[in-house]
Amino acid sequence: MTDLPTPVERGDLPRPVLRYLDAHNAGDAAACAALMAPDVQVTDDGRTYDGPAAVEAWLGRATSEYTYTTRYLGAVRDGPDRWTVTQRLDGDFPGNTVDLRYAFTLAGDLVRRLVIAP
């Protein structure tokens, strides 16, 4: 039998994922970085950022570069410590609208790995 991803309502996501989404949507890079494991790796737009300080610097740049709003589209649980959230971003960036998948791997109450991709 194959384990299939399980759909999840936003309110049923694990606390670190919810806190990250809320902080990211608010543009709070420091709050996002505080949720990261010491050995975190975040990949976005083909670049990987290692460690909470690099994640905070990346998010600080990303949130100041464009203005956008986000809308939760859905989520699935991919495994015991893995969750994928899909959000729609509308803003003043090239293309104006994009649906992004945020693939989280957790380590307890911290984010160990995050891959953001269309």
Side-chain angles (χ1 to χ4, degrees), residues 7-63:
V8 179
E9 295 296 322
R10 190 181 194 285
D12 294 330
L13 288 167
R15 186 168 170 81
V17 173
L18 283 172
R19 290 177 62 203
Y20 174 86
L21 293 173
D22 290 343
H24 189 158
N25 294 346
D28 190 342
C32 287
L35 297 166
M36 302 294 154
D39 61 346
V40 69
Q41 285 191 320
V42 175
T43 301
D44 179 47
D45 204 21
R47 293 190 176 134
T48 299
Y49 305 92
D50 294 306
V55 169
E56 184 173 358
W58 156 71
L59 278 171
R61 284 190 309 274
T63 57

Side-chain angles (χ1 to χ4, degrees), residues 27-107:
D28 190 342
C32 287
L35 297 166
M36 302 294 154
D39 61 346
V40 69
Q41 285 191 320
V42 175
T43 301
D44 179 47
D45 204 21
R47 293 190 176 134
T48 299
Y49 305 92
D50 294 306
V55 169
E56 184 173 358
W58 156 71
L59 278 171
R61 284 190 309 274
T63 57
S64 66
E65 191 171 353
Y66 299 109
T67 302
Y68 57 90
T69 59
T70 60
R71 182 167 41 115
Y72 176 84
L73 297 179
V76 293
R77 183 174 187 174
D78 300 307
D81 61 349
R82 295 179 301 125
W83 308 78
T84 300
V85 175
T86 304
Q87 294 200 119
R88 176 162 294 151
L89 279 65
D90 292 300
D92 62 359
F93 51 84
N96 300 105
T97 300
V98 65
D99 292 347
L100 293 178
R101 290 183 330 272
Y102 296 74
F104 291 89
T105 301
L106 302 180

